[in-house]
C-alpha cells in the first residue's frame, strides 16, 4: 500500500473546522491517495482511516466521525472492490441513515471503474467477491446511496477534474480551510524548524529580519504575512509598512532588509510590492493601516503606500490608500512620501539546500 496522505490532523488548526468523511476500499488506495494528496493541498478538510488506532473497532470509529456535527458530508469512492468491502458497506449504511434525518449532509460519489451505478452493480455481480445474499445486501445499500437526487455523482477519468469537483462541493458546505493559502505539512514543518513561524486567526506569519525604527538604532523584528502561493513559491508581505519615504529611498529599504536575508537559500526576492502581486494577492494582505514601523517617522496618519508598476521608468509607481484602493498610476514627484510594504518570496523547492 502506498504511503498514506495527510489529513485534517496534519493541519495547524484542528477541532473547530468541518470535514468530509472519506470512504474507500483499500485495494483502491493508489487512486484514492492521489486524490487525497491533491485535495489536501486545495484546502479540503477530510477524515479517513489514517486516524485509526491499533485495536479500534472500525464500524464504531466510523460511526463516531460520521455522526460528529463537524462532519458535513462524505466522499465515497465506488468500485467493484468497494462494493465487496465490509468496511465500505458499514460506512454506507451509516451515511444512508444520516441522510434520512439530515438533508444537508452532502454525498459525493466517485465512480472509479464504471460509468454509472448500473454498470458497477453488474460488474460486482459478475465478480462474485461475496456470497449472493451478501452482495445483494451490499448492492441494496449502494443503490439507496445513489438514487437520491441530492447526491453528487462523478465518473473518475481525470485526476484534476475529480479534485475540482470535490473542492467545489467542499467549499459549498464549508469543509475547506479558511486560510487564503493552504500550506503543506512538509513546507510548514520546514519553516517552523528554521524560523519563528505561526498561525494566527487563520493566517500564517513568519518573523524574518529587523528594521531600524529610530535614530537611536533601535531595531524591531519584521513580521511577514503569507498571502499567496505560486507553484513552489510562497508570497509573504510585511504585516506593516517598513518605512515612510519618498520613492528614491525605496531601494534603500529593500536593500537593508535583503542584505539580512541573503544567506537564506530559499529566500528568492525582497522588494516593494508591485502591481501584479497587489492585484493577485492584495485582498489577502490585510488592512493597509498605520503601523508601528512607519509611524515613528511622520507626524500624520499613514494614508498612502507605494506600489511598483509592472513596466516603465524605475520611478513609475502607483499609490494605494489605506482602504487598499489604487489612487494614482504615474511617475511621481520627489516630494511625496508614502509607506513601503515589502514582498518576500520563499522558494520551497530550495528548502533542502
Amino acid at each position: 500500500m502506498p504511503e498514506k496522505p495527510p489529513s485534517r490532523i496534519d493541519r495547524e488548526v484542528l477541532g473547530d473546522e468541518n470535514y468530509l468523511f472519506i470512504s474507500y476500499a483499500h485495494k483502491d488506495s493508489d487512486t484514492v491517495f492521489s486524490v487525497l494528496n491533491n485535495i489536501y493541498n486545495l484546502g479540503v478538510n477530510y477524515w479517513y482511516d489514517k486516524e485509526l488506532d491499533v485495536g479500534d473497532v472500525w464500524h464504531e470509529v466510523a460511526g463516531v466521525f460520521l455522526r460528529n456535527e463537524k462532519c458535513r458530508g462524505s466522499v465515497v469512492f465506488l468500485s467493484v472492490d468497494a462494493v465487496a468491502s465490509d468496511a465500505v458497506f458499514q460506512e454506507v449504511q451509516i451515511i444512508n441513515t444520516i441522510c434520512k434525518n439530515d438533508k444537508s449532509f452532502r454525498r459525493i460519489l466517485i465512480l472509479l471503474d464504471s460509468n454509472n451505478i448500473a454498470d458497477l452493480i453488474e460488474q460486482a455481480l459478475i465478480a462474485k467477491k461475496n456470497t449472493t445474499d451478501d452482495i445483494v445486501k451490499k448492492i441494496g445499500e449502494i443503490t439507496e446511496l445513489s438514487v437520491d437526487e441530492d447526491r453528487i455523482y462523478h465518473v473518475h477519468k481525470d485526476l484534476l477534474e475529480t479534485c475540482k469537483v470535490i473542492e467545489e462541493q467542499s467549499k459549498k458546505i464549508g469543509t475547506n480551510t479558511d486560510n487564503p493559502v493552504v500550506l503543506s505539512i512538509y513546507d510548514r514543518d520546514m519553516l517552523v524548524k528554521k524560523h519563528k513561524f505561526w498561525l494566527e486567526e487563520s493566517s500564517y506569519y513568519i518573523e524574518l529580519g529587523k528594521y531600524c525604527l529610530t535614530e537611536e538604532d533601535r531595531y524591531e523584528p519584521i513580521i511577514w504575512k503569507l498571502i499567496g502561493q505560486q507553484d513552489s513559491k510562497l508570497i509573504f508581505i510585511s504585516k506593516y509598512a517598513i518605512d515612510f519615504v519618498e520613492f528614491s529611498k525605496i531601494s534603500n529599504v529593500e536593500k537593508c532588509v535583503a542584505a539580512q536575508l541573503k544567506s537564506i537559500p530559499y529566500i528568492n526576492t525582497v522588494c516593494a510590492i508591485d502591481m501584479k502581486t497587489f492585484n493577485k494577492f492584495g485582498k489577502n494582505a490585510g488592512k493597509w493601516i498605520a503601523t508601528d514601523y512607519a509611524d515613528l517617522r511622520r507626524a500624520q496618519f499613514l494614508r498612502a503606500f507605494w506600489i511598483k508598476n509592472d513596466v516603465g521608468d524605475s520611478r513609475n509607481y502607483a499609490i494605494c490608500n489605506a482602504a487598499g484602493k489604487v489612487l494614482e498610476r504615474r511617475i511621481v514627484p520627489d516630494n511625496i512620501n508614502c509607506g513601503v510594504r515589502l514582498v518576500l518570496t520563499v522558494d520551497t523547492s530550495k528548502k533542502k539546500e
Side-chain angles (χ1 to χ4, degrees), residues 45-318:
N45 283 321
Y46 53 81
W47 186 98
Y48 77 112
D49 57 4
K50 175 181 180 178
E51 299 183 37
L52 281 178
D53 292 323
V54 176
D56 283 343
V57 179
W58 171 242
H59 70 277
E60 293 178 359
V61 175
V64 168
F65 283 97
L66 273 167
R67 294 187 178 95
N68 189 300
E69 63 178 8
K70 294 296 181 181
C71 182
R72 302 309 308 138
S74 62
V75 181
V76 184
F77 290 90
L78 291 174
S79 66
V80 171
D81 288 314
V83 173
S85 167
D86 290 335
V88 173
F89 170 65
Q90 292 166 349
E91 293 158 6
V92 170
Q93 279 186 312
I94 297 171
I95 292 168
N96 285 336
T97 300
I98 292 172
C99 290
K100 291 176 182 177
N101 301 312
D102 183 1
K103 295 300 181 182
S104 67
F105 192 88
R106 190 63 52 94
R107 284 152 294 170
I108 306 169
L109 311 184
I110 308 296
L111 291 177
L112 297 182
D113 50 17
S114 54
N115 292 321
N116 53 61
I117 293 295
D119 286 347
L120 173 64
I121 291 173
E122 182 178 353
Q123 292 173 29
L125 289 170
I126 293 172
K128 293 183 179 180
K129 290 179 178 287
N130 304 96
T131 63
T132 301
D133 289 343
D134 200 22
I135 195 65
V136 168
K137 183 169 59 176
K138 291 178 177 179
I139 287 173
E141 290 293 338
I142 296 295
T143 302
E144 182 178 344
L145 180 74
S146 62
V147 293
D148 197 302
E149 62 182 13
D150 292 333
R151 59 100 178 93
I152 306 301
Y153 179 85
H154 177 74
V155 177
H156 175 71
K157 293 182 178 178
D158 177 79
L159 174 62
L160 296 182
E161 186 62 30
T162 297
C163 294
K164 182 180 179 181
V165 169
I166 297 174
E167 180 194 18
E168 288 176 349
Q169 294 302 318
S170 177
K171 287 180 177 179
K172 287 181 180 180
I173 60 175
T175 55
N176 259 52
T177 178
D178 291 329
N179 296 335
V181 180
V182 181
L183 200 61
S184 75
I185 185 174
Y186 312 105
D187 292 341
R188 187 191 72 206
D189 286 351
M190 180 274 289
L191 294 171
V192 168
K193 289 175 182 177
K194 295 180 179 293
H195 308 284
K196 184 177 180 182
F197 182 78
W198 69 96
L199 185 71
E200 180 181 316
E201 296 182 354
S202 296
S203 294
Y204 289 105
Y205 295 90
I206 192 169
E207 183 181 302
L208 284 171
K210 296 182 179 181
Y211 197 74
C212 182
L213 297 183
T214 68
E215 295 179 356
E216 290 76 28
D217 291 336
R218 181 169 68 87
Y219 286 80
E220 291 291 335
I222 301 175
I223 308 301
W224 307 83
K225 180 182 181 181
L226 182 58
I227 60 170
Q229 188 170 18
Q230 192 163 348
D231 299 325
S232 64
K233 295 180 176 62
L234 303 176
I235 315 299
F236 292 82
I237 189 170
S238 58
K239 185 177 180 182
Y240 304 115
I242 300 296
D243 210 335
F244 181 71
V245 299
E246 61 190 48
F247 83 91
S248 62
K249 301 292 179 63
I250 294 175
S251 61
N252 294 342
V253 178
E254 294 172 330
K255 290 175 183 177
C256 174
V257 177
Q260 300 175 56
L261 308 179
K262 66 180 181 180
S263 63
I264 304 176
Y266 40 83
I267 300 295
N268 238 26
T269 57
V270 178
C271 61
I273 188 167
D274 59 87
M275 189 62 67
K276 184 177 180 181
T277 303
F278 177 82
N279 288 335
K280 188 169 185 178
F281 303 116
K283 66 181 182 299
N284 298 328
K287 295 180 180 179
W288 296 73
I289 56 175
T291 74
D292 293 338
Y293 302 119
D295 282 356
L296 295 175
R297 297 187 184 277
R298 57 190 166 70
Q300 73 273 23
F301 288 114
L302 180 55
R303 298 187 183 278
F305 301 82
W306 293 117
I307 302 178
K308 190 179 300 184
N309 279 324
D310 299 328
V311 295
D313 192 289
S314 61
R315 293 175 55 179
N316 195 346
Y317 277 79

